[in-house]
Amino acid sequence: MHATAAPARPAAMLYRTTTDSPVGTLTLVASDAGLVAVLWPDDSPGRVRLAAAEERADHPVLATARAQLDEYFAGRRRDFDLPLAPVGSAFQRAVWAALTAIPHGETRSYGDIARAIGRPTASRAVGAANGRNPLSIVVPCHRVIGASGKLTGFAGGLAAKQQLLAHERR
């Protein structure tokens, strides 16, 4: 992934738009610094806390994100090339950065991610940070599964997680 992360501070102004996808209508949120969130149709309002956002489908970050998501779902894109501006703790941002290293079509366990960030006993904390990933699909938290290989919690629901993993195996 060739995405770049911005600092952890919230942006002054947020913009939003929606895009239809095979896993439901996604809400995209951006600042001038980059993509801030990709939210699910039934996302819990407390999972990703954001300030009010102005509807602005023509914002360059949102337009690019929408186009790249369309390419991803059409099978023409494996990696995203977007400026990213997620807001989170240093630990969360480390976990999210590790998620971007999981290759398209592959999975990793929470323990694998904990080891990748140098915190081998932090599997549960990794799970919590994974659940707070504001950039679903773009930062591929759907590629993280339980140590047994079983699908585990996912903000978009397990059916969407299974659909995304199946899409990437094609």
Coordinates of all heavy atoms in Angstrom, one line a residue, residues 13-17 28-30 51-59 62:
M13 N -11.8 20.7 9.3 CA -13.0 20.6 8.6 C -13.1 19.2 8.0 O -12.1 18.7 7.4 CB -13.0 21.6 7.5 CG -14.3 21.7 6.7 SD -15.6 22.3 7.8 CE -17.0 21.9 6.7
L14 N -14.2 18.5 8.1 CA -14.4 17.2 7.5 C -15.5 17.3 6.4 O -16.4 18.1 6.5 CB -14.9 16.2 8.6 CG -13.9 15.9 9.7 CD1 -14.5 15.0 10.7 CD2 -12.6 15.4 9.1
Y15 N -15.3 16.4 5.4 CA -16.2 16.3 4.3 C -16.7 14.9 4.1 O -15.9 14.0 4.5 CB -15.5 16.8 3.0 CG -14.9 18.1 3.1 CD1 -13.5 18.2 3.5 CD2 -15.6 19.3 3.0 CE1 -12.9 19.5 3.6 CE2 -15.0 20.6 3.2 CZ -13.7 20.6 3.5 OH -13.1 21.9 3.7
R16 N -17.9 14.7 3.6 CA -18.3 13.3 3.5 C -19.1 13.1 2.2 O -19.6 14.1 1.6 CB -19.2 12.9 4.7 CG -20.6 13.5 4.6 CD -21.5 13.0 5.7 NE -22.8 13.6 5.5 CZ -23.2 14.8 6.0 NH1 -22.3 15.5 6.7 NH2 -24.4 15.3 5.8
T17 N -19.2 11.8 1.8 CA -20.0 11.4 0.7 C -20.3 9.9 0.9 O -19.7 9.3 1.7 CB -19.3 11.7 -0.7 OG1 -20.3 11.5 -1.7 CG2 -18.1 10.8 -1.0
L28 N -17.8 7.8 3.2 CA -16.4 8.2 3.1 C -16.3 9.6 3.8 O -17.1 10.5 3.5 CB -15.9 8.3 1.7 CG -16.2 7.0 0.8 CD1 -15.7 7.3 -0.6 CD2 -15.6 5.8 1.4
V29 N -15.3 9.7 4.6 CA -15.1 11.0 5.3 C -13.6 11.4 5.1 O -12.7 10.6 5.2 CB -15.4 10.9 6.8 CG1 -15.2 12.2 7.5 CG2 -16.8 10.4 7.1
A30 N -13.4 12.7 4.8 CA -12.1 13.1 4.5 C -11.9 14.5 5.1 O -12.8 15.3 5.3 CB -11.8 13.2 3.0
A51 N -16.2 14.6 14.1 CA -17.0 15.9 14.1 C -18.0 15.9 12.9 O -17.9 15.0 12.0 CB -16.0 17.1 14.0
A52 N -18.9 16.8 12.9 CA -19.8 17.0 11.8 C -19.0 17.2 10.5 O -18.0 17.8 10.5 CB -20.7 18.1 12.1
A53 N -19.6 16.6 9.5 CA -18.9 16.7 8.2 C -19.9 17.3 7.1 O -21.1 17.0 7.1 CB -18.5 15.3 7.7
E54 N -19.3 18.1 6.3 CA -20.1 18.7 5.2 C -20.2 17.8 4.0 O -19.2 17.2 3.6 CB -19.4 20.0 4.8 CG -19.9 20.7 3.6 CD -19.0 21.9 3.2 OE1 -18.5 22.6 4.1 OE2 -18.9 22.1 2.0
E55 N -21.4 17.7 3.4 CA -21.6 16.8 2.2 C -20.8 17.5 1.1 O -21.0 18.6 0.8 CB -23.0 16.7 1.9 CG -23.3 15.8 0.8 CD -23.1 14.3 1.1 OE1 -23.2 13.9 2.2 OE2 -22.7 13.6 0.1
R56 N -19.9 16.7 0.5 CA -19.1 17.3 -0.6 C -18.5 16.2 -1.5 O -17.3 15.8 -1.4 CB -18.0 18.1 0.0 CG -17.0 18.7 -1.0 CD -17.1 20.2 -1.0 NE -16.1 20.7 -2.0 CZ -14.9 21.0 -1.7 NH1 -14.4 21.1 -0.5 NH2 -14.1 21.3 -2.7
A57 N -19.3 15.6 -2.3 CA -18.9 14.5 -3.2 C -17.7 14.9 -4.1 O -17.0 14.0 -4.5 CB -20.1 14.0 -4.0
D58 N -17.6 16.2 -4.4 CA -16.5 16.6 -5.3 C -15.2 16.8 -4.6 O -14.2 17.2 -5.3 CB -16.9 17.8 -6.1 CG -17.1 19.1 -5.2 OD1 -17.3 18.9 -4.0 OD2 -17.0 20.2 -5.7
H59 N -15.1 16.6 -3.3 CA -13.8 16.8 -2.6 C -12.8 15.9 -3.3 O -13.1 14.7 -3.5 CB -13.9 16.6 -1.1 CG -12.7 17.0 -0.4 ND1 -11.6 16.1 -0.3 CD2 -12.4 18.1 0.3 CE1 -10.7 16.7 0.4 NE2 -11.1 17.9 0.8
L62 N -12.2 12.5 -1.5 CA -13.3 11.6 -1.6 C -13.6 11.1 -3.0 O -13.9 9.9 -3.1 CB -14.6 12.4 -1.1 CG -14.6 12.8 0.4 CD1 -15.8 13.7 0.7 CD2 -14.5 11.6 1.3

